[in-house]
């Protein structure tokens, strides 16, 4: 497989997010879902609506989210919609909680761990998707980027539990912490493949490397960022963009990278990339193309 182009801009601005999207030369058409992380109540690190306003408007997109599988401010549609208002998303954009009316099943015939993926029912309303990820650490996956957004992010509340519990239909919150870690990461890679298949190439990936805590935006009490901001990356390959982000962290001279990578490595986070690569919907080989 040829190297995948991954574009990189160091300065993080609303204008540069649009610029790097345009450089890709892929215009998302029809009804465009913009999958991002809206931030758990109390979280201080999530990317604010003002930062992504230009790109959401540029693609004429709808901000989409799904409910969580754990108790909090986003585990029911009613609470989730209230938080979207509180965090400013509903003031600037059309917002769709995609599993508000339930979920649908996407088949994963080649899945290693799971052979189906429960996603928000309203995913059927969209023709293309902008996966706009805040790249950071994660307490369970090691890191969060494009692959996590495609899998856990698009999954319904039930679907999130199903992935975390590696295919157990009636898994509990406690079960999420008892499963084999590598199988969980492989289940994420499986789930991501089903969303990619559904959109059949009509997806663009942007990772924003800012506010880089070892904790995810899903944490209501998150550790403060341990690294300085690195930049914005964009690609048509979800595996390549996540690999490029990991490599930029490892090559960084920021002393905080040791703490960041300890979180990634302790949870075997790279295994999600490895598993996705084996499924063949992208490549870990990329060309990083810096633009100014």
């Amino acid at each position: 497989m040829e190297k995948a182009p991954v574009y990189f801009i160091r300065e993080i601005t609303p204008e540069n997010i649009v610029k790097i999207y345009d450089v890709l030369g892929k215009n998302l058409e029809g009804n465009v879902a913009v999958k991002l992380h809206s931030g758990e109540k109390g979280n201080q690190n999530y990317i604010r609506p003002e930062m992504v306003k230009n790109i959401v408007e540029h693609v004429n997109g709808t901000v989409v989210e799904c409910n969580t599988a754990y108790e909090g401010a986003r585990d029911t549609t009613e609470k989730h919609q209230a938080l979207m208002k509180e965090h400013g998303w509903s003031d600037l954009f059309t917002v769709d909680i995609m599993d508000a009316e339930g979920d649908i099943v996407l088949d994963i015939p080649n899945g290693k761990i799971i052979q189906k993926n429960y996603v928000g029912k309203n995913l059927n309303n969209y023709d293309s998707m902008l996966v706009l990820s805040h790249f950071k650490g994660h307490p369970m996956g090691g890191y969060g980027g494009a692959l996590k957004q495609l899998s856990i992010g698009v999954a319904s509340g039930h679907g999130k539990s199903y992935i975390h519990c590696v295919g157990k239909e009636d898994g509990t919150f406690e079960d999420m912490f008892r499963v084999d870690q590598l199988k969980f990461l492989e289940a994420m890679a499986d789930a991501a493949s089903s969303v990619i298949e559904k959109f059949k190439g009509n997806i663009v990936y942007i990772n924003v490397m800012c506010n880089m805590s070892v904790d995810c935006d899903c944490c209501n009490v998150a550790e403060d960022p341990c690294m300085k901001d690195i930049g914005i990356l964009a690609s048509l390959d979800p595996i390549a963009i996540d690999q490029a982000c990991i490599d930029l962290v490892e090559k960084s001279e920021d002393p905080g990278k040791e703490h960041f990578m300890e979180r990634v490595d302790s949870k075997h986070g790279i295994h999600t990339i490895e598993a996705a690569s084996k499924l063949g919907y992208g490549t870990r080989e990329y060309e990083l193309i810096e633009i100014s």
Side-chain angles (χ1 to χ4, degrees), residues 88-263:
W89 298 102
S90 302
D91 292 336
L92 293 181
F93 313 114
T94 301
V95 171
D96 181 7
I97 308 300
M98 291 194 293
D99 59 338
E101 298 180 4
D103 49 32
I104 56 174
V105 176
L106 302 182
D107 292 328
I108 317 173
N110 298 321
K112 181 178 179 181
I113 303 299
I114 56 175
Q115 283 72 51
K116 59 183 177 180
N117 184 23
Y118 295 93
V119 301
K121 180 180 179 181
N122 291 353
L123 190 68
N124 275 338
N125 296 337
Y126 300 99
D127 305 297
S128 55
M129 178 175 279
L130 171 60
V131 179
L132 184 54
S133 304
H134 174 205
F135 186 85
K136 69 282 181 187
H138 194 278
M140 295 186 72
Y143 83 94
L147 293 172
K148 179 180 176 292
Q149 280 280 41
L150 283 169
S151 54
I152 298 294
V154 177
S156 64
H158 173 61
K160 288 176 171 63
S161 173
Y162 187 76
I163 296 168
H164 272 287
C165 296
V166 297
K168 186 176 181 180
E169 290 282 6
D170 56 351
T172 65
F173 180 74
E174 289 74 22
D175 289 333
M176 296 184 191
F177 298 91
R178 297 171 181 156
V179 300
D180 181 285
Q181 176 69 4
L182 297 185
K183 287 183 179 179
F184 159 57
L185 301 177
E186 290 164 3
M188 279 207 296
D190 289 341
S193 71
S194 68
V195 179
I196 290 170
E197 175 61 26
K198 179 172 178 57
F199 284 106
K200 300 187 183 302
N202 293 312
I203 308 184
V204 165
Y205 306 94
I206 297 176
N207 284 4
V208 183
M209 301 182 75
C210 69
N211 302 342
M212 293 172 59
S213 167
V214 298
D215 289 327
C216 180
D217 299 340
C218 59
C219 301
N220 61 348
V221 180
E223 191 176 296
D224 286 336
C226 62
M227 295 186 67
K228 293 180 180 179
D229 296 350
I230 291 179
I232 311 166
L233 289 82
S235 183
L236 301 180
D237 188 318
I239 300 172
I241 195 171
D242 278 7
Q243 183 67 63
C245 287
I246 292 290
D247 290 344
L248 283 170
V249 171
E250 291 195 303
K251 293 174 183 176
S252 170
E253 296 181 357
D254 191 319
K257 77 173 184 182
E258 302 298 333
H259 183 49
F260 189 92
M261 289 307 301
E262 190 278 330
R263 171 58 60 86

Side-chain angles (χ1 to χ4, degrees), residues 19-60:
K19 182 176 183 177
I20 204 167
Y21 168 85
D22 286 340
V23 167
L24 284 171
K26 173 72 176 180
N27 292 319
L28 297 174
E29 299 178 345
N31 290 329
V32 181
V34 180
K35 180 65 191 76
L36 46 75
H37 202 305
S38 56
E40 184 57 75
K41 186 178 181 67
N43 186 277
Q44 75 274 32
N45 297 323
Y46 70 95
I47 296 174
R48 301 306 195 263
E50 293 77 15
M51 177 60 73
V52 300
K53 182 176 184 291
N54 290 8
I55 186 62
V56 176
E57 292 178 348
H58 189 62
V59 301
N60 193 27

